[in-house]
Amino acid sequence: MGQRLGRSFGWLWSAFAASTMGTWLGFGAFPLIAIQVLGIGPAAVSALAAAGLAVGAVLALPLGPWVERQRKKPVMIAADVVRFAALLSIPIAFAFGLLTYTQLLMVSVIGAAGNIAFVSASGAYLKSLVGPDQLLAANGRFESTTWTATAVGPTLGGAAISLIGPVVTLIANAVGFLLSALGIGMIREREARPARGTATRLRGADLSEGWRFILADRELRALFLNTVTVNALIMATEPLLAVLLLGDLSWAAWQYGLAFGLPCVGGFVGAQLAPRLQARYGRRRILLVSGALRALWPIGLFFVMPGAAGVVLVIAVELGLITCMGLFNPLFATERLDRVPADRVGRVLVAWNITGTGAIAVLTALWGVLAGATDVRLAIGVAGVLLLATPFLLPRRSGTQSPATGPARPVVSAAR
């Protein structure tokens, strides 16, 4: 039933799986370290996430045109190695009693910049490894892997945190990046050198080329505004949820991991359904429906309560949200790659990721201030209410269609 994508894609997929599993084994470690080890409050927890993302995004600004002038494989390996070393410094510093808030902030910055570099290079690299008719299958497998790791990782990570503390789980996160670098290094397919036209000296205009391309395409512009806004509003409440659940409601770490890990089976199911639903109803309709539905669930987190009932409520909300995201994300990723020429992918993805990272940073900081001035639960509720308006940002009409956006056509795929 699955579409064969070749050995090179298999190594890329394996590398992605290793880094993703490591990341989710360390889920919640940063806020837990900040809360339990360093003893800081909700505003400082939010500031840690926000400042790291914001500074990382600024440092990543020149990466778009730079990535396009480089072979993508070395860029991805370097990003993995740098993130491995940065994360490993935290348990080392903790072991010697030297861990500080400043170090957490610096590692957060390095992680954000490294993630932007890796994602930007990997998008262009994926287009060179698989054909246009294989993009949905490839993206579906990445999405399925993400949600599988997200289902298993936080649960195991939460148990590990309960037994041995949050700092140690970052070792698993770091090792995931190291295994990813080794996996990418196993790809033997020769990568073509970038065209001479992209190897010129960096100009100021190059920095804004990605945004100009996005804004000139009506379909991309709508998806850009929607995804950036939705992701920022969801992620802005992540540190606040940690404070509410782990602090105010006194959840155990294993409950926290279970509540956010178990619902990720919905993401796997959504990713599996994406190619089949596209084949039957067309990509546009499924993007609109799943994109709208994913905005309806987070408001439910406002009503979370202590005890088993609260755990069940969070699981139900996250299951609905993640199922819709698992369906939306591979279709969105494929649509974006379909609409962007290969020689613009690096700049477009850097622009997209910088904007998304910057928006998350700004809203995370604002929501930290809001929670400090009012109440953590209220701040989470405000984000949920604002999310209800985001479906209006989704594209309604398409002036020009990408190759796979028109009427439904068969897509042979296991999933993304």
Side-chain angles (χ1 to χ4, degrees):
M1 293 181 61
Q3 185 174 352
R4 295 185 63 85
L5 301 177
R7 180 176 295 181
S8 294
F9 174 79
W11 280 115
L12 182 63
W13 187 16
S14 299
F16 176 82
S19 64
T20 304
M21 178 58 75
T23 296
W24 285 106
L25 281 171
F27 172 73
F30 264 65
L32 275 170
I33 291 169
I35 295 167
Q36 296 181 358
V37 177
L38 300 180
I40 64 177
V45 172
S46 294
L48 172 64
L53 291 172
V55 178
V58 171
L59 293 178
L61 183 59
L63 286 177
W66 180 81
V67 165
E68 286 176 1
R69 299 198 303 271
Q70 313 300 319
R71 286 195 172 106
K72 308 305 181 289
K73 179 179 166 182
V75 172
M76 296 160 65
I77 292 174
D80 275 338
V81 171
V82 168
R83 288 183 290 178
F84 161 75
L87 280 173
L88 196 61
S89 72
I90 292 177
I92 292 173
F94 175 77
F96 288 96
L98 301 175
L99 184 62
T100 64
Y101 183 81
T102 300
Q103 182 177 354
L104 288 181
L105 181 60
M106 292 176 62
V107 172
S108 180
V109 169
I110 293 170
N115 182 65
I116 291 173
F118 185 93
V119 170
S120 303
S122 65
Y125 195 52
L126 179 62
K127 288 194 76 167
S128 72
L129 291 181
V130 303
D133 60 335
Q134 298 174 314
L135 277 175
L136 181 57
N139 284 321
R141 291 179 195 181
F142 287 142
E143 191 72 16
S144 296
T145 302
T146 295
W147 294 116
T148 300
T150 311
V152 176
T155 304
L156 296 179
I161 286 170
S162 296
L163 293 173
I164 55 181
V167 175
V168 180
T169 61
L170 287 181
I171 297 175
N173 194 350
V175 170
F177 287 125
L178 181 60
L179 292 176
S180 174
L182 294 174
I184 294 169
M186 292 298 296
I187 299 175
R188 296 295 178 242
E189 187 168 323
R190 184 171 178 80
E191 184 180 357
R193 285 186 177 275
R196 281 186 176 274
T198 62
T200 57
R201 184 172 55 88
L202 178 65
R203 300 169 301 166
D206 291 332
L207 301 179
S208 60
E209 176 62 28
W211 284 284
R212 288 202 300 269
F213 187 94
I214 293 168
L215 297 177
D217 184 312
R218 184 168 62 184
E219 189 87 358
L220 276 182
R221 183 171 65 245
L223 287 171
F224 176 70
L225 294 173
N226 175 266
T227 56
V228 166
T229 304
V230 169
N231 292 341
L233 285 170
I234 290 175
M235 295 304 295
T237 63
E238 182 181 346
L240 300 182
L241 279 169
V243 172
L244 176 64
L245 300 179
L246 296 168
D248 296 352
L249 300 183
S250 300
W251 280 26
W254 69 266
Q255 291 177 308
Y256 184 72
L258 179 67
F260 288 96
L262 185 61
C264 295
V265 68
F268 180 86
V269 171
Q272 294 288 324
L273 290 175
R276 302 171 192 176
L277 293 177
Q278 175 183 275
R280 183 168 183 178
Y281 298 108
R283 186 183 299 170
R284 167 169 295 281
R285 182 178 299 178
I286 303 304
L287 272 174
L288 286 174
V289 172
S290 60
L293 290 177
R294 82 195 199 285
L296 304 181
W297 296 94
I299 187 65
L301 296 173
F302 174 80
F303 302 99
V304 66
M305 68 287 293
V311 176
V312 172
L313 174 62
V314 172
I315 289 174
V317 170
E318 292 295 316
L319 179 62
L321 171 64
I322 290 170
T323 301
C324 295
M325 291 175 68
L327 180 56
F328 177 87
N329 288 345
L331 296 172
F332 153 68
T334 303
E335 176 69 12
R336 181 170 61 181
L337 286 177
D338 275 345
R339 302 188 75 89
V340 181
D343 63 349
R344 291 290 184 272
V345 169
R347 285 182 239 203
V348 166
L349 292 183
V350 165
W352 206 296
N353 287 314
I354 285 177
T355 306
T357 300
I360 291 171
V362 170
L363 290 195
T364 299
L366 288 176
W367 256 252
V369 172
L370 177 62
T374 58
D375 177 74
V376 170
R377 186 185 296 271
L378 177 62
I380 293 170
V382 170
V385 170
L386 292 176
L387 277 164
L388 297 176
T390 58
F392 294 103
L393 297 174
L394 287 165
R396 298 298 177 183
R397 296 285 185 272
S398 179
T400 58
Q401 292 184 334
S402 66
T405 316
R409 61 189 183 109
V411 176
V412 182
S413 165
R416 158 186 168 156

